[in-house]
Structures are given as C-alpha cells and as structure tokens.
Amino acid sequence: MDIDLLKTFVEVVRTRHFGKAAENLYITQSAVSFRIRQLEQGLGVNLFIRQRNNIQLTAPGERLLPHAQMIITGMQRAKVDVALADNMHKQISLAGTPNIWDAFLQFGITNIVSAMPGVSLVAEVKAQQESTRLLLERTLDLAILFDPPKVDELVVERICELPIIPVSGYDTATNENFFDNQYVYVDWGTTFSLWHARQFTGKTPPYFRTSTGRIALDLILQCGGSAFIPQVLVEHHLNKGDLFHVKDVKNTSRDVFIAYHRDNEQKELIETLVNLLSQMTPSLTLEPSL
C-alpha cells in the first residue's frame, strides 16, 4: 500500500477538508481526491461521507485510521533508524501527554539531551491511550504518564511526585470563595478527578474546563480566576505576585510514572533515561498549606 495514500487519508481526517489537506501536503485538491479514490478502490470500501463542509469518516474509515497512523509512524521510525545506523548512532523515543510536558518534561529535557551524547532522542506529545498502543506495538520506547497503564507486557515504574496546589489571581481568595470566582478545572488524570470529587462535593461548578495546565495558567493570568496547577509551573508567578497560593484550600499531588515494553531491546538506554528522569524533580520552596 502506497504510504502517500495513507498520509493523505490521515491529513483529510485531521483537517476534515480536502482543500486544507491539499495545502498542508503541498499538492492540489484534485490530487488529494485522486489519492483517496485510489485508497478506497484498493480497499473496496468508502472511507468518507462527503457532504459540503462536513466530511465524516465511515465505519471502515474509523477502523482504518489507527492502522494508517501505525504504518506511517513505523515508516518514519524505520527511516530514522536506518539513517542513524549508517552513522553508528542510537535512537530512543519518548512521549508524554501535554500536561506531562507542561508540568514535568519541559524542565529537564535539555539535561537529558546533553547527558546522552551520540543518542538521537525523539520526543513527542501523545495522548495516554496512543502512547500505550505505541508501546505495545514497539514503535515507542518510553512513555511518561500520570495514570499508569495496567498491561502485563509493560514495565511501569513511579519516578517522582509533583505537588499540585490551589492558586488564584486574587489575593482575597480563600477556601470560602475559591470555587466561586472563575474556577478553572484542569483534568490532571483519573486519580486527581476522584480526589477532587471527594474533597469538593457541592461546590460551584467550574466556569471553564481544560485538559491542559498551560491553558488554565494563561487564562487565570490574563482574566483572573483560580485553578489547581503544579507548583513548579506557577512558582515564578507566585514569587512575582502575579498569583497567590490559597493555603486554606487542600493541596494534592500526582505521581509520575514511566512505562516501557518489558522486551524492549534498548534496556540499557531506557535505564539511563529513567535515571535521568528520576533526577528531574524541580526544587520547590513553598510551604505546604494547612
């Protein structure tokens, strides 16, 4: 199967528009349409329901999508591996969710790169489920996650704990009004959601929800409000007086886990990377809340 047909299919799925897919792929819209027809004819199914400004996947299209993504990722990995082998280099790939990058990985990725000379590092943003799938398919070496996957084929290790604290853009914020003044709920994973539900039953519903801590931080800095944010992410703003730690609201924390396939052939590199990640916990200076 022509890899370009699959790349075109995935781009149409992403943009939901033949014209935008053509622009992103630097080909004509007619070429996009031709490639999709070729793919459909080769598979003997319709992949899209074509309506004006509303392109939707058919059931066969939904089934094809993860396979297409896996093939494309595998081909990209193969090309890099072959090129690296020619230069006697090694490669290791890691992925984290957007929140893992915001709250943890961004603070030490340069140290990891400098500590592993001769190793090509591929670092990506991936959702939890996609990371688990790629680990099982062995197209990803290491995933850094808040919620550890419970899969027998994977080795999972806890590497650190990240404090998550209640902060507000208002210096008058207290336990009484923390949730009443533009509270932003950030999804820090399953464990956090369960803790939040137990602790704050009956409180005012959040006016904004997001799965990304960076979005919540930018929002409360610009518009005011409150949220639970990792301490390391807000410490600079707390020291400047842009935000305030609401100390009479309970703090929490999230464990950070790494996962890799137990039969991965790069055990030595993975162990080195795990040790580096374990040393990445940023220094924290705030006093705990009451």
Side-chain angles (χ1 to χ4, degrees), residues 6-264:
L6 294 177
K7 287 181 178 178
T8 304
F9 166 72
V10 170
E11 190 61 28
V12 172
V13 173
R14 192 182 70 83
T15 61
R16 300 288 175 168
H17 195 282
F18 278 47
K20 291 178 181 177
E23 291 177 7
N24 294 342
L25 294 169
Y26 299 100
I27 58 178
T28 64
Q29 185 168 338
S30 60
V32 170
S33 298
F34 179 71
R35 288 181 180 182
I36 296 300
R37 283 198 302 274
Q38 276 189 298
L39 188 58
E40 290 178 326
Q41 289 169 4
L43 294 171
V45 296
N46 291 325
L47 298 172
F48 294 101
I49 300 171
R50 295 165 173 83
Q51 298 176 349
R52 185 176 179 83
N53 297 323
N54 184 23
I55 296 176
Q56 299 295 327
L57 279 171
T58 61
E62 294 279 4
R63 297 293 294 272
L64 175 62
L65 181 58
H67 296 290
Q69 292 171 327
M70 178 185 69
I71 292 169
I72 293 168
T73 301
M75 284 295 295
Q76 291 171 340
R77 178 75 180 271
K79 288 179 179 179
V80 173
D81 282 346
V82 170
L84 290 171
D86 190 47
N87 293 312
M88 299 302 291
H89 284 179
K90 296 180 180 180
Q91 177 191 348
I92 192 164
S93 58
L94 67 87
T97 63
N99 271 335
I100 286 288
W101 278 102
D102 284 346
F104 180 63
L105 281 175
Q106 66 161 317
F107 296 101
I109 195 67
T110 54
N111 294 335
I112 291 174
V113 172
S114 61
M116 301 180 72
V119 176
S120 174
L121 182 67
V122 179
E124 300 178 288
V125 178
K126 299 286 186 185
Q128 166 103 14
Q129 290 183 339
E130 184 180 7
S131 292
T132 302
R133 175 175 61 81
L134 294 175
L135 288 173
L136 293 172
E137 293 167 356
R138 305 194 198 186
T139 54
L140 178 68
D141 292 311
L142 194 69
I144 300 90
L145 308 161
F146 281 135
D147 294 313
K150 295 178 174 60
V151 182
D152 290 341
E153 294 90 335
L154 302 182
V155 176
V156 177
E157 299 177 16
R158 177 187 178 277
I159 55 174
C160 73
E161 181 182 8
L162 283 178
I164 296 179
I165 64 173
V167 298
S168 175
Y170 308 108
D171 59 0
T172 56
T174 65
N175 183 55
E176 299 300 320
N177 59 23
F178 182 76
F179 295 93
D180 299 329
N181 201 348
Q182 299 183 171
Y183 173 62
V184 180
Y185 178 86
V186 186
D187 182 3
W188 293 109
T190 303
T191 302
F192 174 82
S193 298
L194 294 173
W195 173 84
H196 192 279
R198 288 194 303 267
Q199 296 293 329
F200 307 113
T201 302
K203 297 293 185 180
T204 303
Y207 96 109
F208 191 89
R209 290 176 177 265
T210 178
S211 60
T212 307
R214 178 63 62 181
I215 292 175
L217 177 59
D218 290 344
L219 184 65
I220 63 177
L221 283 172
Q222 295 180 38
C223 304
S226 57
F228 284 93
I229 307 286
Q231 186 171 322
V232 65
L233 201 57
V234 296
E235 192 164 22
H236 170 71
H237 299 289
L238 294 169
N239 292 335
K240 284 180 60 181
D242 298 331
L243 294 175
F244 304 92
H245 181 196
V246 187
K247 295 184 178 181
D248 59 346
V249 176
K250 288 187 177 181
N251 292 343
T252 186
S253 62
R254 285 306 328 258
D255 289 331
V256 178
F257 298 88
I258 58 95
Y260 59 91
H261 200 289
R262 63 175 66 254
D263 295 327
N264 193 300

